[in-house]
Amino acid sequence: MNPELSIVMPCLNEAETLAICIQKAQSFFEKHDVHGEVVIADNGSTDGSQAIAEKLNARVVPVPEKGYGNALKGGIKAAKGKYIIMGDADDSYDFSSLELFIEKLREGNDLVMGNRFKGGVKKGAMPFLHKYLGNPVLSFIGRLFFNIKIGDFHCGLRGFSKEAFAKMNLNTTGMEFASEMIVKSKLNGLSIVQVPTILHPDGRTRPPHLNTWRDGWRHLRFLLLYSPRWLFLYPAFIMIIVGTILSTILIMNPLTFGGIVFDVHTLLYTASSVVVGFQFLAFYALTKIFAVENGLLPKSDRYHKLFKIFNLEKGLIVGFLTLAVGIYLSVHGLLDWKATSFSDLKPAETLRVIVPAVFTIMLGLQIILFSFFFSILGLKQHIKEDKIAS
């Protein structure tokens, strides 16, 4: 009969602390009458960790692909339990006190997160930068981007059902695996709860595998790449709205603020802001399509509405109208120049016509090209809808 619970520990040269972690996990099974197993996902240890685990009747699963995420995926895939609890093998978490985790899993929760800030961080257990900058900032960004009410995104002690893990479809291989698990759980509609967890100083004498700045960046990069709204859409709205308002004002008259005059030179930047903002908007749409069609993000009602609201015909109409405005302004500027017998022009007056003309031509052409590319990427979606309709 398969065990109810598998405790999975990633391992890379953890000979100093592996035995005590396994023994604590086994004492939890015995004390709380849980049918369980300990799975050691070994990532190429050379210090005898495998022999220690086997001597204590833990199951060793060799994972040749390097990386924290790879090790855990290999161990979780091999685990036989209905539920999985994963945790580091450095004795920073107490595997003999997992009652809240198994209780929440038995209640039907998909992901049970430990929260070290609620449970307590023992003196010397977490570096200053991690405690007061890295973890709080990255956890705040995760909550903001994905609306996940979790206080500690990077707690290494967490539990989930084997069924829920399959739905997460995790792809990352390094430390960002921890963030991906939470984000994918939210995006796939899985239930997430958190329980207080105590973090103890680890028992190793060697430096930890975690690299503060490199792995911190990998977590931040993952959060940005999985949130096209914050990476592309919101900046697009800001640049387009602000650029349009300021450009409109500067086309009519110079703007004086604090004794400083902003004129046609500023108009070049505000008009550029609109064009760049549209490029951000285009990247949002294209990134969304690519991510969904390749299984990186789940499909949503908003995704289906994207193709109903915008199509090739609408895009071409808007693009050609914008292009026509640019051509009209260009002709208007040329006629004004002709009226002076092609003599010297007044730059301030001329550029108030020419700058909008150039940028609306550029914007119109970008809208037309984007419309074709968007429609090409959306062909797969239309084919699926046609099949469903037939």
Side-chain angles (χ1 to χ4, degrees):
M1 185 175 68
N2 286 336
E4 178 187 23
L5 175 64
S6 296
I7 297 179
V8 178
M9 305 179 196
C11 176
L12 177 58
N13 296 327
E14 303 288 5
E16 291 181 289
T17 54
L18 186 59
I20 186 65
C21 290
I22 295 173
Q23 290 166 348
K24 285 182 177 181
Q26 291 171 338
S27 71
F28 171 77
F29 295 149
E30 184 177 350
K31 181 178 179 181
H32 296 278
D33 195 24
V34 175
H35 181 206
E37 64 170 352
V38 178
V39 177
I40 306 301
D42 186 71
N43 212 200
S45 298
T46 57
D47 64 349
S49 294
Q50 303 93 327
I52 294 172
E54 290 170 352
K55 185 177 179 181
L56 292 171
N57 296 319
R59 189 153 60 91
V60 178
V61 177
V63 184
E65 298 82 6
K66 295 296 183 183
Y68 176 77
N70 278 331
L72 280 168
K73 283 188 288 186
I76 294 167
K77 184 178 179 180
K80 299 177 181 178
K82 177 182 179 181
Y83 304 120
I84 311 290
I85 294 179
M86 55 174 261
D88 300 333
D90 59 3
D91 200 28
S92 57
Y93 298 111
D94 187 358
F95 288 104
S96 65
S97 300
L98 302 176
E99 301 93 320
L100 291 177
F101 285 89
I102 192 66
E103 177 184 319
K104 293 296 182 182
L105 288 170
R106 285 170 173 169
E107 289 176 2
N109 294 289
D110 296 306
L111 175 62
V112 183
M113 285 293 305
N115 188 323
R116 296 166 294 183
F117 300 107
K118 284 190 173 184
V121 178
K122 298 293 185 179
K123 186 177 180 180
M126 186 182 293
F128 180 87
L129 279 177
H130 295 195
K131 185 175 182 179
Y132 296 103
L133 179 63
N135 277 308
V137 169
L138 290 173
S139 294
F140 170 76
I141 292 173
R143 290 193 298 271
L144 177 66
F145 283 13
F146 301 98
N147 191 29
I148 303 173
K149 296 177 173 60
I150 292 295
D152 185 4
F153 258 60
H154 303 103
C155 181
L157 188 63
R158 53 187 72 182
F160 42 88
S161 67
K162 193 76 178 287
E163 181 181 357
F165 181 78
K167 294 178 182 177
M168 295 176 195
N169 188 27
L170 305 182
N171 298 299
T172 53
T173 61
M175 291 293 182
E176 67 272 30
F177 179 86
S179 293
E180 184 186 15
M181 178 177 287
I182 302 173
V183 171
K184 286 288 192 69
S185 294
K186 174 67 175 181
L187 293 176
N188 285 285
L190 302 180
S191 57
I192 308 173
V193 296
Q194 56 184 345
V195 296
T197 300
I198 299 174
L199 182 68
H200 303 269
D202 67 63
R204 301 173 297 196
T205 57
R206 63 164 177 78
H209 297 304
L210 180 69
N211 182 292
T212 299
W213 298 107
R214 181 196 65 199
D215 291 316
W217 163 244
R218 292 180 71 163
H219 281 286
L220 177 59
R221 180 183 65 181
F222 172 83
L223 294 175
L224 288 169
L225 293 177
Y226 266 77
S227 181
R229 285 182 301 168
W230 285 92
L231 185 59
F232 296 121
L233 185 61
Y234 297 153
F237 285 155
I238 292 171
M239 285 188 283
I240 291 173
I241 293 171
V242 173
T244 301
I245 292 173
L246 292 177
S247 295
T248 303
I249 295 172
L250 291 170
I251 287 170
M252 294 186 293
N253 290 294
L255 180 63
T256 302
F257 185 78
I260 301 174
V261 179
F262 298 94
D263 206 339
V264 289
H265 302 88
T266 307
L267 178 59
L268 286 168
Y269 288 94
T270 58
S272 298
S273 174
V274 178
V275 176
V276 174
F278 174 77
Q279 291 175 341
F280 268 74
L281 187 62
F283 270 104
Y284 165 75
L286 299 177
T287 301
K288 186 77 172 179
I289 295 170
F290 177 84
V292 170
E293 294 301 331
N294 286 276
L296 299 175
L297 291 173
K299 289 187 177 180
S300 62
D301 292 337
R302 185 181 300 171
Y303 179 75
H304 293 294
K305 289 178 182 177
L306 184 64
F307 292 96
K308 294 179 180 178
I309 294 173
F310 185 86
N311 56 37
L312 176 60
E313 291 73 21
K314 291 179 182 177
L316 292 179
I317 291 172
V318 174
F320 278 113
L321 286 175
T322 306
L323 181 61
V325 171
I327 294 173
Y328 169 79
L329 291 174
S330 297
V331 173
H332 179 65
L334 180 62
L335 293 175
D336 286 346
W337 189 24
K338 181 182 178 182
T340 65
S341 299
F342 300 106
S343 61
D344 293 339
L345 296 170
K346 295 179 181 179
E349 295 179 4
T350 304
L351 287 176
R352 280 195 169 79
V353 177
I354 297 305
V355 170
V358 171
F359 280 93
T360 47
I361 289 174
M362 292 172 56
L363 183 60
L365 289 172
Q366 287 195 18
I367 293 173
I368 292 168
L369 294 174
F370 164 74
S371 300
F372 279 111
F373 194 27
F374 180 86
S375 297
I376 291 171
L377 290 180
L379 285 176
K380 187 176 179 181
Q381 174 71 17
H382 292 306
I383 291 171
K384 288 181 179 178
E385 291 179 352
D386 291 340
K387 285 182 178 179
I388 293 173
S390 60

mmCIF file of all heavy atoms in Angstrom, residues 278 281 309-326 360-371:
data_model
loop_
_atom_site.group_PDB
_atom_site.id
_atom_site.type_symbol
_atom_site.label_atom_id
_atom_site.label_comp_id
_atom_site.label_asym_id
_atom_site.label_seq_id
_atom_site.Cartn_x
_atom_site.Cartn_y
_atom_site.Cartn_z
ATOM 1 N N PHE A 278 2.895 52.090 -27.012
ATOM 2 C CA PHE A 278 2.194 51.130 -27.866
ATOM 3 C C PHE A 278 3.013 49.863 -28.037
ATOM 4 O O PHE A 278 2.463 48.750 -28.087
ATOM 5 C CB PHE A 278 1.892 51.733 -29.242
ATOM 6 C CG PHE A 278 1.303 50.738 -30.193
ATOM 7 C CD1 PHE A 278 -0.026 50.367 -30.094
ATOM 8 C CD2 PHE A 278 2.087 50.124 -31.160
ATOM 9 C CE1 PHE A 278 -0.574 49.414 -30.946
ATOM 10 C CE2 PHE A 278 1.556 49.166 -32.012
ATOM 11 C CZ PHE A 278 0.215 48.811 -31.909
ATOM 12 N N LEU A 281 2.434 47.773 -25.175
ATOM 13 C CA LEU A 281 1.104 47.173 -25.277
ATOM 14 C C LEU A 281 1.121 45.979 -26.232
ATOM 15 O O LEU A 281 0.524 44.930 -25.960
ATOM 16 C CB LEU A 281 0.109 48.227 -25.772
ATOM 17 C CG LEU A 281 -1.371 47.837 -25.795
ATOM 18 C CD1 LEU A 281 -1.869 47.524 -24.388
ATOM 19 C CD2 LEU A 281 -2.199 48.954 -26.420
ATOM 20 N N ILE A 309 -12.429 41.029 -28.827
ATOM 21 C CA ILE A 309 -12.379 42.495 -28.830
ATOM 22 C C ILE A 309 -11.514 43.011 -29.978
ATOM 23 O O ILE A 309 -11.858 43.970 -30.663
ATOM 24 C CB ILE A 309 -11.834 43.004 -27.477
ATOM 25 C CG1 ILE A 309 -12.817 42.658 -26.361
ATOM 26 C CG2 ILE A 309 -11.589 44.512 -27.522
ATOM 27 C CD1 ILE A 309 -12.284 42.969 -24.975
ATOM 28 N N PHE A 310 -10.369 42.346 -30.196
ATOM 29 C CA PHE A 310 -9.436 42.830 -31.209
ATOM 30 C C PHE A 310 -9.276 41.792 -32.308
ATOM 31 O O PHE A 310 -9.084 40.615 -32.044
ATOM 32 C CB PHE A 310 -8.073 43.112 -30.571
ATOM 33 C CG PHE A 310 -7.089 43.733 -31.529
ATOM 34 C CD1 PHE A 310 -7.070 45.100 -31.711
ATOM 35 C CD2 PHE A 310 -6.205 42.951 -32.260
ATOM 36 C CE1 PHE A 310 -6.185 45.687 -32.590
ATOM 37 C CE2 PHE A 310 -5.312 43.527 -33.145
ATOM 38 C CZ PHE A 310 -5.306 44.902 -33.310
ATOM 39 N N ASN A 311 -9.362 42.237 -33.564
ATOM 40 C CA ASN A 311 -9.115 41.350 -34.693
ATOM 41 C C ASN A 311 -8.374 42.116 -35.783
ATOM 42 O O ASN A 311 -8.121 43.316 -35.656
ATOM 43 C CB ASN A 311 -10.421 40.744 -35.221
ATOM 44 C CG ASN A 311 -11.435 41.818 -35.609
ATOM 45 O OD1 ASN A 311 -11.085 42.867 -36.132
ATOM 46 N ND2 ASN A 311 -12.716 41.534 -35.343
ATOM 47 N N LEU A 312 -8.037 41.424 -36.851
ATOM 48 C CA LEU A 312 -7.239 42.019 -37.918
ATOM 49 C C LEU A 312 -7.945 43.215 -38.544
ATOM 50 O O LEU A 312 -7.323 44.266 -38.772
ATOM 51 C CB LEU A 312 -6.945 40.958 -38.986
ATOM 52 C CG LEU A 312 -6.181 41.443 -40.234
ATOM 53 C CD1 LEU A 312 -4.827 42.009 -39.840
ATOM 54 C CD2 LEU A 312 -6.023 40.308 -41.235
ATOM 55 N N GLU A 313 -9.224 43.080 -38.811
ATOM 56 C CA GLU A 313 -9.954 44.147 -39.492
ATOM 57 C C GLU A 313 -9.984 45.430 -38.653
ATOM 58 O O GLU A 313 -9.736 46.532 -39.171
ATOM 59 C CB GLU A 313 -11.387 43.692 -39.806
ATOM 60 C CG GLU A 313 -11.493 42.604 -40.857
ATOM 61 C CD GLU A 313 -11.049 41.232 -40.362
ATOM 62 O OE1 GLU A 313 -11.048 41.025 -39.118
ATOM 63 O OE2 GLU A 313 -10.687 40.381 -41.199
ATOM 64 N N LYS A 314 -10.280 45.287 -37.358
ATOM 65 C CA LYS A 314 -10.309 46.465 -36.490
ATOM 66 C C LYS A 314 -8.930 47.113 -36.404
ATOM 67 O O LYS A 314 -8.792 48.340 -36.419
ATOM 68 C CB LYS A 314 -10.791 46.070 -35.089
ATOM 69 C CG LYS A 314 -12.250 45.671 -35.007
ATOM 70 C CD LYS A 314 -12.619 45.267 -33.591
ATOM 71 C CE LYS A 314 -14.071 44.825 -33.502
ATOM 72 N NZ LYS A 314 -14.421 44.366 -32.126
ATOM 73 N N GLY A 315 -7.908 46.275 -36.302
ATOM 74 C CA GLY A 315 -6.545 46.795 -36.209
ATOM 75 C C GLY A 315 -6.138 47.545 -37.461
ATOM 76 O O GLY A 315 -5.508 48.615 -37.392
ATOM 77 N N LEU A 316 -6.516 46.997 -38.638
ATOM 78 C CA LEU A 316 -6.165 47.663 -39.894
ATOM 79 C C LEU A 316 -6.891 48.997 -40.027
ATOM 80 O O LEU A 316 -6.317 49.990 -40.521
ATOM 81 C CB LEU A 316 -6.505 46.763 -41.080
ATOM 82 C CG LEU A 316 -5.648 45.496 -41.225
ATOM 83 C CD1 LEU A 316 -6.113 44.672 -42.421
ATOM 84 C CD2 LEU A 316 -4.172 45.850 -41.367
ATOM 85 N N ILE A 317 -8.142 49.059 -39.604
ATOM 86 C CA ILE A 317 -8.893 50.324 -39.678
ATOM 87 C C ILE A 317 -8.222 51.393 -38.818
ATOM 88 O O ILE A 317 -7.974 52.518 -39.275
ATOM 89 C CB ILE A 317 -10.358 50.109 -39.230
ATOM 90 C CG1 ILE A 317 -11.106 49.261 -40.260
ATOM 91 C CG2 ILE A 317 -11.057 51.453 -39.046
ATOM 92 C CD1 ILE A 317 -12.489 48.826 -39.814
ATOM 93 N N VAL A 318 -7.908 51.034 -37.570
ATOM 94 C CA VAL A 318 -7.257 51.994 -36.663
ATOM 95 C C VAL A 318 -5.884 52.386 -37.207
ATOM 96 O O VAL A 318 -5.500 53.562 -37.191
ATOM 97 C CB VAL A 318 -7.119 51.387 -35.247
ATOM 98 C CG1 VAL A 318 -6.302 52.315 -34.347
ATOM 99 C CG2 VAL A 318 -8.497 51.154 -34.635
ATOM 100 N N GLY A 319 -5.136 51.398 -37.712
ATOM 101 C CA GLY A 319 -3.798 51.666 -38.219
ATOM 102 C C GLY A 319 -3.803 52.591 -39.413
ATOM 103 O O GLY A 319 -3.029 53.560 -39.474
ATOM 104 N N PHE A 320 -4.693 52.326 -40.374
ATOM 105 C CA PHE A 320 -4.732 53.165 -41.569
ATOM 106 C C PHE A 320 -5.281 54.559 -41.275
ATOM 107 O O PHE A 320 -4.853 55.545 -41.898
ATOM 108 C CB PHE A 320 -5.562 52.486 -42.666
ATOM 109 C CG PHE A 320 -4.793 51.452 -43.442
ATOM 110 C CD1 PHE A 320 -5.118 50.104 -43.347
ATOM 111 C CD2 PHE A 320 -3.731 51.828 -44.251
ATOM 112 C CE1 PHE A 320 -4.396 49.147 -44.061
ATOM 113 C CE2 PHE A 320 -3.003 50.876 -44.965
ATOM 114 C CZ PHE A 320 -3.331 49.544 -44.869
ATOM 115 N N LEU A 321 -6.210 54.669 -40.337
ATOM 116 C CA LEU A 321 -6.690 56.000 -39.936
ATOM 117 C C LEU A 321 -5.572 56.810 -39.290
ATOM 118 O O LEU A 321 -5.411 58.009 -39.568
ATOM 119 C CB LEU A 321 -7.879 55.866 -38.983
ATOM 120 C CG LEU A 321 -9.219 55.437 -39.596
ATOM 121 C CD1 LEU A 321 -10.264 55.238 -38.506
ATOM 122 C CD2 LEU A 321 -9.699 56.467 -40.623
ATOM 123 N N THR A 322 -4.798 56.152 -38.418
ATOM 124 C CA THR A 322 -3.668 56.831 -37.779
ATOM 125 C C THR A 322 -2.630 57.239 -38.822
ATOM 126 O O THR A 322 -2.079 58.348 -38.779
ATOM 127 C CB THR A 322 -3.025 55.916 -36.722
ATOM 128 O OG1 THR A 322 -4.017 55.462 -35.806
ATOM 129 C CG2 THR A 322 -1.930 56.658 -35.958
ATOM 130 N N LEU A 323 -2.369 56.331 -39.753
ATOM 131 C CA LEU A 323 -1.423 56.622 -40.834
ATOM 132 C C LEU A 323 -1.918 57.792 -41.685
ATOM 133 O O LEU A 323 -1.134 58.664 -42.088
ATOM 134 C CB LEU A 323 -1.243 55.376 -41.696
ATOM 135 C CG LEU A 323 -0.260 55.460 -42.872
ATOM 136 C CD1 LEU A 323 1.149 55.753 -42.376
ATOM 137 C CD2 LEU A 323 -0.275 54.160 -43.666
ATOM 138 N N ALA A 324 -3.231 57.829 -41.941
ATOM 139 C CA ALA A 324 -3.810 58.910 -42.737
ATOM 140 C C ALA A 324 -3.645 60.260 -42.046
ATOM 141 O O ALA A 324 -3.385 61.282 -42.708
ATOM 142 C CB ALA A 324 -5.291 58.620 -42.999
ATOM 143 N N VAL A 325 -3.803 60.267 -40.728
ATOM 144 C CA VAL A 325 -3.592 61.510 -39.975
ATOM 145 C C VAL A 325 -2.165 62.001 -40.151
ATOM 146 O O VAL A 325 -1.913 63.199 -40.370
ATOM 147 C CB VAL A 325 -3.907 61.299 -38.473
ATOM 148 C CG1 VAL A 325 -3.479 62.516 -37.652
ATOM 149 C CG2 VAL A 325 -5.391 61.042 -38.282
ATOM 150 N N GLY A 326 -1.216 61.066 -40.075
ATOM 151 C CA GLY A 326 0.187 61.435 -40.242
ATOM 152 C C GLY A 326 0.474 61.980 -41.629
ATOM 153 O O GLY A 326 1.207 62.967 -41.782
ATOM 154 N N THR A 360 2.747 59.874 -35.852
ATOM 155 C CA THR A 360 1.499 59.176 -36.184
ATOM 156 C C THR A 360 1.698 58.234 -37.370
ATOM 157 O O THR A 360 1.062 57.179 -37.444
ATOM 158 C CB THR A 360 0.366 60.174 -36.486
ATOM 159 O OG1 THR A 360 0.840 61.187 -37.394
ATOM 160 C CG2 THR A 360 -0.156 60.825 -35.216
ATOM 161 N N ILE A 361 2.577 58.598 -38.304
ATOM 162 C CA ILE A 361 2.917 57.665 -39.389
ATOM 163 C C ILE A 361 3.582 56.422 -38.810
ATOM 164 O O ILE A 361 3.227 55.278 -39.165
ATOM 165 C CB ILE A 361 3.841 58.352 -40.410
ATOM 166 C CG1 ILE A 361 3.058 59.397 -41.219
ATOM 167 C CG2 ILE A 361 4.455 57.314 -41.366
ATOM 168 C CD1 ILE A 361 3.916 60.226 -42.148
ATOM 169 N N MET A 362 4.556 56.618 -37.911
ATOM 170 C CA MET A 362 5.225 55.481 -37.276
ATOM 171 C C MET A 362 4.235 54.627 -36.499
ATOM 172 O O MET A 362 4.247 53.390 -36.594
ATOM 173 C CB MET A 362 6.331 55.990 -36.342
ATOM 174 C CG MET A 362 7.508 56.633 -37.044
ATOM 175 S SD MET A 362 8.650 57.419 -35.877
ATOM 176 C CE MET A 362 9.041 56.044 -34.804
ATOM 177 N N LEU A 363 3.349 55.296 -35.741
ATOM 178 C CA LEU A 363 2.382 54.562 -34.917
ATOM 179 C C LEU A 363 1.400 53.797 -35.797
ATOM 180 O O LEU A 363 1.067 52.633 -35.519
ATOM 181 C CB LEU A 363 1.638 55.533 -33.999
ATOM 182 C CG LEU A 363 0.637 54.922 -33.024
ATOM 183 C CD1 LEU A 363 1.329 53.946 -32.076
ATOM 184 C CD2 LEU A 363 -0.065 56.019 -32.219
ATOM 185 N N GLY A 364 0.939 54.422 -36.881
ATOM 186 C CA GLY A 364 0.007 53.748 -37.775
ATOM 187 C C GLY A 364 0.600 52.502 -38.392
ATOM 188 O O GLY A 364 -0.047 51.451 -38.459
ATOM 189 N N LEU A 365 1.849 52.604 -38.855
ATOM 190 C CA LEU A 365 2.515 51.444 -39.443
ATOM 191 C C LEU A 365 2.707 50.337 -38.408
ATOM 192 O O LEU A 365 2.542 49.147 -38.720
ATOM 193 C CB LEU A 365 3.869 51.864 -40.026
ATOM 194 C CG LEU A 365 3.799 52.725 -41.302
ATOM 195 C CD1 LEU A 365 5.190 53.236 -41.675
ATOM 196 C CD2 LEU A 365 3.201 51.924 -42.459
ATOM 197 N N GLN A 366 3.042 50.705 -37.166
ATOM 198 C CA GLN A 366 3.222 49.685 -36.119
ATOM 199 C C GLN A 366 1.900 48.989 -35.811
ATOM 200 O O GLN A 366 1.875 47.773 -35.596
ATOM 201 C CB GLN A 366 3.789 50.334 -34.854
ATOM 202 C CG GLN A 366 5.245 50.722 -34.975
ATOM 203 C CD GLN A 366 5.878 51.006 -33.627
ATOM 204 O OE1 GLN A 366 5.360 50.607 -32.593
ATOM 205 N NE2 GLN A 366 6.998 51.695 -33.655
ATOM 206 N N ILE A 367 0.806 49.748 -35.797
ATOM 207 C CA ILE A 367 -0.500 49.139 -35.529
ATOM 208 C C ILE A 367 -0.863 48.155 -36.636
ATOM 209 O O ILE A 367 -1.366 47.045 -36.375
ATOM 210 C CB ILE A 367 -1.586 50.228 -35.393
ATOM 211 C CG1 ILE A 367 -1.335 51.070 -34.137
ATOM 212 C CG2 ILE A 367 -2.976 49.594 -35.336
ATOM 213 C CD1 ILE A 367 -2.258 52.277 -34.014
ATOM 214 N N ILE A 368 -0.585 48.521 -37.885
ATOM 215 C CA ILE A 368 -0.888 47.634 -39.015
ATOM 216 C C ILE A 368 -0.068 46.347 -38.934
ATOM 217 O O ILE A 368 -0.595 45.235 -39.057
ATOM 218 C CB ILE A 368 -0.618 48.370 -40.345
ATOM 219 C CG1 ILE A 368 -1.636 49.498 -40.534
ATOM 220 C CG2 ILE A 368 -0.686 47.393 -41.521
ATOM 221 C CD1 ILE A 368 -1.295 50.450 -41.660
ATOM 222 N N LEU A 369 1.242 46.493 -38.702
ATOM 223 C CA LEU A 369 2.103 45.310 -38.620
ATOM 224 C C LEU A 369 1.740 44.433 -37.426
ATOM 225 O O LEU A 369 1.710 43.204 -37.530
ATOM 226 C CB LEU A 369 3.569 45.752 -38.527
ATOM 227 C CG LEU A 369 4.136 46.454 -39.768
ATOM 228 C CD1 LEU A 369 5.545 46.964 -39.488
ATOM 229 C CD2 LEU A 369 4.133 45.519 -40.967
ATOM 230 N N PHE A 370 1.464 45.073 -36.294
ATOM 231 C CA PHE A 370 1.069 44.315 -35.105
ATOM 232 C C PHE A 370 -0.223 43.545 -35.360
ATOM 233 O O PHE A 370 -0.370 42.394 -34.921
ATOM 234 C CB PHE A 370 0.889 45.247 -33.913
ATOM 235 C CG PHE A 370 0.139 44.636 -32.763
ATOM 236 C CD1 PHE A 370 0.739 43.682 -31.950
ATOM 237 C CD2 PHE A 370 -1.178 44.992 -32.509
ATOM 238 C CE1 PHE A 370 0.047 43.097 -30.904
ATOM 239 C CE2 PHE A 370 -1.872 44.418 -31.458
ATOM 240 C CZ PHE A 370 -1.261 43.469 -30.655
ATOM 241 N N SER A 371 -1.173 44.161 -36.057
ATOM 242 C CA SER A 371 -2.459 43.507 -36.322
ATOM 243 C C SER A 371 -2.274 42.220 -37.109
ATOM 244 O O SER A 371 -2.908 41.199 -36.824
ATOM 245 C CB SER A 371 -3.376 44.468 -37.089
ATOM 246 O OG SER A 371 -3.613 45.649 -36.341
#
